[in-house]
Amino acid sequence: MKINVNIAVVGLGQVGIYLLNELNIKKKEIEIKTGKKINVVALSARSISKKRRFKVNKKIFFKNPLEIFDKIKVDILFEAIGLSDGISKKVVETALKNKIHVVTPNKALISKHGDYLAKLAEDNKVNLEFEASVAGGIPILRTIKEGLATNKISKVYGILNGTSNYILSEMENLSDSFTNVLKKAQKLGYAEPGNPKLDLNGFDAFAKVRILSSLAFNTKISKHKCLMEGIEKIELKDIEIANQLNLRIKLLGISELINNQLFETVHPCLVKKNSYIGNVGGVMNAVILDGKPVGETILQGEGAGPGPTSSSLLSDLFSILRGNIKKPFGISNNKRKVIKCYNVDNYSNSFYLRFEVKDKPGVLSTITNRLAKYRISVKRLIQTPEKKNNKATIVIITHKTNELNFMNCLSIFKKNKNILKYPTFIRIYN
C-alpha cells in the first residue's frame, strides 16, 4: 500500500508555478523512486487571476496561506514567496511548528533567519531544506553537508548570480551597454521584469555567501556588515579595456577563514581570461571550494531560471520522501559556533582604476603623486587621448594595497576639477 504525502505550494511566481507543473508531470516517477504518492492539496498566492504559464486549480487555492494550516493536513510545504520577512517567515515558522517539512529556495529568508528556523526544525524533528537557495541547480549545499563532510574547508568562492554573469558576458559578446543587455535578460526571464535590483547590487549573491559560510565553516550565520558591491557601475568601456589586458570582469562571492576570522565579500573582480572562473559565461554559476584533504573542488551549472531552481527543490523533496530527517546546516544547531569577523579594511588587492580627465598638462602627475603619497605603486599605465573633446582616459593597474589605504587615497579625486568624474575601480582577483 502506497503512503500518501500531502503537499502545499505557497508562492506561484516563476519558480512556484514551474515547480507545480513539475510535480504534476513527475508524480509517477516520484512514486516509483520513493514508494510515496504525492498529492498537491493546497496552493497560495496573492492573486488567482494573474496570468501564469500553467493552470492553477481553483478548488485548492488559498489567498491567505496561513489558513492552510487550519483547514487541511499538509506533510510538506514549499515556500516560494521570496521575502526575507513578513509572510514568508510566518508561513515557514508556522509550518515547522506544526511539524511540517519545509522546502524553500528563499536565500533572503535563510540568510537572515536561518539559525532560528533551523532550531525550530530540529526541535520539531522535521526537515528545513534550502538547496535551491544557492547556485540554482548545482547541489552545492548537499555536497558540503554530505560529500565533503569530513573535510576542513578553508575557502569557498565563485560566481553565485546567474543574472549578473549573463549581463557581463553579453556586454562583452555583443559590445552592448549594460541597459540594453539588462532589457534582454528581463525578456528571457533571467532578470526580474519589475525590479532586478537585488541581482544587480550584489545582495542576492551576498545572501548566498552567508549560507555557504555557515555550512562550510560550521558557524552561525554572520550578521556583520561586510563589503558588498554589484555590477551597476560597470560600463562597456571597462569591459573593452579589460579585454585588451587579457582580463574579464566577473561578480565574485568570496568566503574564507583568515587567521580563524570570517571574511565574506561580494564585488566585481577582474580575473584572467585563461582562468577557470574567467571562462564561466552566460547564466552559469560556479562554486570552488578549498578543503583538506580533498584539495580544490569545482561545481558548475545553471544558476538562473525556474528550471535549475526546481531541480534542486525536487532533490530536497526526494530526500524528505526517502525518510532522511537531517539537521538543516549539517550539524546540530547548538554545535554551530559564532565566529569573529575579519576586518575588511585589511583586505588586500591590486586595483584597476579608470579616470576620465581633462587632457591638459599636470593631470597625470597629480594622480600618480597622490598614489605615491599613499604608497600605492603603479604596475601598468595606459593613457588614451580623445582630442576632439579635449579629454583623456587614464587606466592604472596598481600593485597590492589594503582596502582602507586605497579608499583614503581615492577620496581627494572627488574634488579635483580636472578629473571629470569619480574614478571607476575594480579589484583584481589573483
Side-chain angles (χ1 to χ4, degrees):
M1 185 174 138
K2 294 283 188 285
I3 298 170
N4 286 304
V5 176
N6 288 348
I7 290 175
V9 179
V10 177
L12 298 175
Q14 280 192 344
V15 170
I17 203 73
Y18 193 98
L19 169 70
L20 182 59
N21 193 55
E22 289 289 288
L23 290 171
N24 289 330
I25 291 170
K26 294 178 177 173
K27 277 183 85 165
K28 283 187 180 177
E29 182 186 343
I30 292 168
E31 190 175 331
I32 291 165
K33 290 183 176 178
T34 67
K36 309 280 174 64
K37 187 177 180 182
I38 62 165
N39 305 293
V40 177
V41 297
L43 303 171
S44 182
R46 278 187 296 184
S47 169
I48 194 166
S49 57
K50 180 182 172 182
K51 191 176 177 182
R52 295 181 171 92
R53 291 172 65 190
F54 309 111
K55 197 173 179 182
V56 173
N57 185 347
K58 295 179 181 180
K59 292 178 182 177
I60 58 172
F61 185 85
F62 292 80
K63 187 165 185 182
N64 180 357
L66 298 175
E67 289 180 8
I68 294 169
F69 305 108
D70 297 324
K71 296 185 178 179
I72 201 156
K73 182 186 180 297
V74 173
D75 301 299
I76 301 171
L77 179 135
F78 286 91
E79 183 278 325
I81 303 167
L83 302 173
S84 61
D85 293 283
I87 193 64
S88 286
K89 185 186 176 208
K90 190 67 179 173
V91 163
V92 172
E93 183 181 44
T94 305
L96 295 173
K97 285 179 178 178
N98 281 278
K99 303 189 184 303
I100 296 167
H101 302 288
V102 173
V103 181
T104 181
N106 190 342
K107 81 281 294 182
L109 177 71
I110 299 300
S111 66
K112 188 171 183 181
H113 300 294
D115 295 338
Y116 164 67
L117 296 173
K119 186 177 186 307
L120 264 186
E122 285 182 37
D123 290 346
N124 288 283
K125 296 181 173 53
V126 289
N127 286 42
L128 170 64
E129 299 283 356
F130 45 91
E131 181 65 64
S133 68
V134 178
I138 304 173
I140 182 63
L141 305 188
R142 193 159 281 123
T143 298
I144 295 171
K145 286 193 278 188
E146 297 173 18
L148 300 177
T150 59
N151 281 264
K152 186 173 177 60
I153 297 170
S154 58
K155 185 174 185 178
V156 187
Y157 71 100
I159 295 168
L160 299 173
N161 184 273
T163 303
S164 290
N165 202 43
Y166 173 82
I167 289 170
L168 292 172
S169 298
E170 287 297 280
M171 285 174 72
E172 180 182 354
N173 295 338
L174 304 174
S175 293
D176 207 349
S177 69
F178 178 90
T179 304
N180 288 344
V181 174
L182 172 58
K183 286 176 185 173
K184 185 181 174 186
Q186 289 172 316
K187 281 181 186 174
L188 291 170
Y190 296 148
E192 285 292 328
N195 183 8
K197 185 179 177 182
L198 298 181
D199 284 318
L200 306 178
N201 67 7
F203 181 85
D204 174 86
F206 193 69
K208 295 169 184 176
V209 164
R210 296 220 135 141
I211 295 168
L212 284 170
S213 297
S214 186
L215 282 160
F217 309 132
N218 295 321
T219 61
K220 293 287 176 74
I221 294 167
S222 172
K223 305 297 181 188
H224 299 288
K225 187 178 178 182
C226 293
L227 179 63
M228 183 184 81
E229 292 173 9
I231 64 166
E232 307 107 307
K233 294 178 184 176
I234 303 297
E235 295 178 26
L236 180 59
K237 194 167 192 175
D238 299 306
I239 286 172
E240 290 171 342
I241 294 167
N243 189 46
Q244 293 167 24
L245 297 169
N246 205 30
L247 299 169
R248 188 167 274 144
I249 303 170
K250 295 291 179 186
L251 182 73
L252 295 188
I254 304 163
S255 177
E256 62 182 312
L257 295 178
I258 303 174
N259 301 327
N260 291 317
Q261 295 176 344
L262 179 63
F263 175 64
E264 300 173 306
T265 186
V266 169
H267 57 71
C269 293
L270 281 160
V271 299
K272 290 179 181 174
K273 273 191 170 184
N274 62 1
S275 65
Y276 179 85
I277 208 79
N279 284 283
V280 179
V283 295
M284 301 298 276
N285 279 194
V287 185
I288 301 171
L289 302 103
D290 287 337
K292 289 184 180 179
V294 72
E296 189 174 81
T297 301
I298 301 171
L299 289 92
Q300 181 177 330
E302 286 199 27
T309 304
S310 292
S311 172
S312 288
L313 291 171
L314 290 173
S315 172
D316 284 342
L317 173 64
F318 269 75
S319 181
I320 294 169
L321 293 177
R322 285 170 173 154
N324 299 323
I325 305 298
K326 295 176 180 174
K327 305 285 190 293
F329 285 90
I331 63 169
S332 178
N333 199 58
N334 58 22
K335 290 184 179 175
R336 294 164 61 222
K337 56 187 182 289
V338 175
I339 190 167
K340 190 176 177 182
C341 183
Y342 180 78
N343 187 348
V344 74
D345 287 345
N346 298 326
Y347 183 35
S348 182
N349 280 286
S350 297
F351 285 84
Y352 159 101
L353 268 167
R354 175 170 62 84
F355 294 87
E356 301 298 327
V357 302
K358 290 181 181 177
D359 191 6
K360 57 191 289 188
V363 177
L364 178 58
S365 62
T366 298
I367 293 169
T368 54
N369 289 342
R370 177 70 178 177
L371 292 171
K373 184 179 177 182
Y374 280 81
R375 297 184 181 179
I376 299 171
S377 58
V378 176
K379 189 175 183 180
R380 187 167 181 177
L381 189 149
I382 305 165
Q383 186 169 9
T384 311
E386 195 182 312
K387 289 186 179 177
K388 270 190 205 174
N389 301 314
N390 200 31
K391 291 193 231 174
T393 298
I394 297 170
V395 172
I396 291 172
I397 304 294
T398 77
H399 285 281
K400 278 194 171 187
T401 186
N402 69 46
E403 196 76 19
L404 180 62
N405 189 48
F406 183 76
M407 292 305 167
N408 285 340
C409 175
L410 285 195
S411 62
I412 200 170
F413 295 128
K414 287 180 179 177
K415 300 171 186 175
N416 192 304
K417 64 183 178 182
N418 292 320
I419 295 169
L420 300 172
K421 65 172 192 173
Y422 191 71
T424 296
F425 64 89
I426 304 171
R427 297 164 186 85
I428 298 173
Y429 189 78
N430 299 314

